[in-house]
């Protein structure tokens, strides 16, 4: 579904991504793990059109999307839930969700998707008319995910969904990620919580200082001593 071939991405003169290649098949959950500053968020931003690669290609369903405008990429079926949630604080939950469907015209289907989002996140239904800035961190994460789903993505990019959340909420968010995947949405997940990420992923890429240093199935990487020492605290 997605193929990234040898991309290089810079911030000014600083190279953040170095010849990274990866692929994601339809229906998979693929996770990127690595330390802070390894280039994981930069990679997601490049896929979703917020950054342009200097070199290399990004193919989505065999079409080149590298350097295309972010809204064009949303239209083609990729939604990005950024790190830090980025909800529109002075708008209601409902208005944030409506914005997720901004590019769509199919009113009846949009209504159906509202219902689906409220099924996945009952808490959002209770808070429908509430200003988003007054929600808890966990509720804002649910809203950011719900808003992305309103665009009906084929591929959902999730950047650190568990960041700053209580352990119980982290479990809830990961359970919902699995549910979203079961309904047919492919997921690329960036996550600091390597144990949780590996528990739901099909395949894993490990990124260090802008390079992919390890990749494999979640089971293979779970069994890797190298990975355990580096990311799982040796457990």
């Amino acid at each position: 579904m997605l193929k990234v071939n040898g991309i290089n991405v810079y911030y000014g003169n600083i190279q953040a991504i170095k010849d990274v290649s990866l692929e994601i098949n339809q229906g998979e959950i693929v996770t990127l793990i690595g330390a802070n500053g390894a280039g994981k968020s930069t990679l997601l931003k490049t896929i979703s059109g917020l950054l342009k690669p200097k070199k290399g290609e990004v193919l989505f369903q065999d079409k080149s999307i590298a350097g295309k405008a972010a809204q064009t990429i949303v239209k083609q079926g990729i939604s990005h839930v950024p790190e830090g949630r980025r909800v529109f604080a002075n708008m209601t939950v409902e208005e944030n969700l409506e914005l997720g469907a901004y590019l769509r015209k199919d009113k009846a289907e949009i209504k159906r998707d509202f219902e689906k989002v409220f099924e996945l996140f009952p808490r959002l239904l209770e808070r429908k008319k509430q200003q988003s800035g007054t929600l808890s961190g966990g509720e804002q994460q649910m809203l950011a995910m719900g808003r992305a789903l309103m665009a009906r993505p084929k591929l959902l990019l999730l950047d650190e969904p568990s960041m700053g959340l209580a352990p119980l909420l982290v479990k809830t968010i990961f359970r919902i990620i699995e549910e979203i995947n079961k309904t047919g949405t492919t997921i690329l997940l960036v996550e600091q919580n390597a144990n949780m990420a590996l528990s739901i992923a099909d395949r894993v890429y490990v990124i260090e200082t802008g390079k992919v240093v390890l990749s494999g199935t979640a089971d293979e990487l779970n069994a890797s001593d190298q990975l355990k020492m580096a990311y799982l605290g040796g457990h």
Side-chain angles (χ1 to χ4, degrees):
M1 179 180 253
L2 183 83
K3 229 182 190 151
V4 174
N5 288 332
I7 63 166
N8 288 290
V9 184
Y10 290 78
Y11 289 109
N13 294 326
I14 298 163
Q15 189 169 4
I17 298 283
K18 299 162 188 163
D19 289 320
V20 164
S21 297
L22 57 85
E23 51 186 60
I24 299 169
N25 303 309
Q26 190 160 348
E28 283 189 310
I29 297 178
V30 173
T31 188
L32 298 176
I33 58 180
N36 263 338
K40 306 183 302 293
S41 295
T42 302
L43 189 55
L44 291 195
K45 285 176 183 167
T46 307
I47 293 167
S48 67
L50 297 172
L51 292 171
K52 290 182 170 54
K54 207 163 196 174
K55 197 183 123 205
E57 58 178 0
V58 182
L59 299 169
F60 180 60
Q61 295 185 319
D62 296 327
K63 291 190 181 94
S64 174
I65 58 169
K68 286 204 168 163
Q71 64 267 34
T72 307
I73 291 173
V74 172
K75 230 177 209 165
Q76 282 182 281
I78 298 178
S79 284
H80 185 172
V81 180
E83 188 183 345
R85 313 187 244 284
R86 307 284 174 87
V87 299
F88 297 101
N90 55 355
M91 296 170 79
T92 65
V93 165
E94 196 168 29
E95 287 165 341
N96 267 274
L97 292 174
E98 276 167 7
L99 274 178
Y102 183 74
L103 293 170
R104 293 173 56 188
K105 302 279 181 283
D106 46 344
K107 285 207 167 70
E109 291 296 310
I110 290 171
K111 190 168 178 287
R112 194 168 301 158
D113 285 347
F114 256 109
E115 284 160 15
K116 271 191 202 154
V117 167
F118 289 140
E119 256 169 55
L120 273 175
F121 305 106
R123 192 88 59 88
L124 295 182
L125 181 59
E126 292 163 26
R127 310 254 189 283
K128 193 162 82 161
K129 300 290 183 198
Q130 203 168 311
Q131 280 206 327
S132 303
T134 64
L135 300 177
S136 71
E139 289 161 353
Q140 288 190 9
Q141 184 59 53
M142 292 172 186
L143 178 55
M145 287 164 69
R147 182 179 61 190
L149 289 174
M150 289 300 293
R152 269 219 183 153
K154 296 172 188 144
L155 173 64
L156 183 63
L157 310 177
L158 289 171
D159 197 351
E160 301 284 7
S162 78
M163 192 188 263
L165 301 185
L168 200 63
L169 257 179
V170 172
K171 282 198 172 122
T172 303
I173 292 289
F174 272 83
R175 195 195 73 242
I176 292 165
I177 292 170
E178 286 188 288
E179 278 179 42
I180 292 167
N181 178 247
K182 282 189 185 115
T183 63
T185 307
T186 306
I187 290 170
L188 177 57
L189 169 69
V190 160
E191 185 50 67
Q192 281 264 297
N193 187 334
N195 277 312
M196 282 302 280
L198 284 170
S199 73
I200 67 166
D202 297 298
R203 288 186 307 110
V204 186
Y205 289 90
V206 179
I207 293 193
E208 261 174 33
T209 57
K211 291 192 193 86
V212 171
V213 291
L214 268 178
S215 67
T217 66
D219 291 343
E220 283 166 355
L221 269 78
N222 250 329
S224 153
D225 293 337
Q226 190 185 350
L227 181 82
K228 282 195 173 136
M229 290 313 293
Y231 299 102
L232 309 179
H235 301 311

